[in-house]
Amino acid sequence: MSNPQQLRYSKEHEWLSAVEDGVATIGITEHAANALGDVVYVQLPAVGDKVTAGESCGELESTKSVSDLYAPVTGEVVEANQDVVDDPSLVNSAPFEGGWLFKVRIEAEPEDLLSADEYTAFTAG
């Protein structure tokens, strides 16, 4: 499993893209997708919703369990990935591409986001 170097990661297993014009894309990591199993339902925050770093903002349901989705940053949701809502398996098949979850206009970014190498070490033990 390879974590893209250009992304940053939370200890709750979400990834965050580079910020462009104040907006970042959020998804869950391949590690999290594999741990969840086959994702069958996704509840995402709606456009206009305010999310707060470290707080639950949605839900992922798999054949194994239900898991909260946590926001890695604070801001306002500007887009939710309707493709993932329509086809939740994208979270498993393409967690870093078509399986992204939502985009947020960032107001505050926590200091404890991890680099790809730090996240790999975190999930290894």
Side-chain angles (χ1 to χ4, degrees), residues 10-16 25-29 32-33 36 39 41-46 49-61 65-73 77 79-81 84-85 91 95 99-104:
S10 75
K11 291 184 177 178
E12 288 80 28
H13 308 289
E14 282 82 27
W15 58 261
L16 174 77
T25 303
I26 312 282
I28 68 164
T29 65
L36 277 172
V39 176
Y41 174 77
V42 177
Q43 177 193 349
L44 300 175
D49 282 357
K50 176 108 164 140
V51 296
T52 302
E55 292 187 9
S56 177
C57 64
E59 190 175 272
L60 300 171
E61 185 177 327
S65 66
V66 176
S67 179
D68 283 333
L69 172 64
Y70 294 94
V73 294
V77 176
E79 185 178 351
N81 187 352
V84 165
V85 173
V91 172
W100 63 273
L101 301 176
F102 62 97
K103 294 183 181 186
V104 63

Side-chain angles (χ1 to χ4, degrees), residues 68-96:
D68 283 333
L69 172 64
Y70 294 94
V73 294
T74 296
E76 181 181 340
V77 176
V78 297
E79 185 178 351
N81 187 352
Q82 187 61 44
D83 291 343
V84 165
V85 173
D86 295 341
D87 182 6
S89 70
L90 287 171
V91 172
N92 298 103
S93 64
F96 297 115

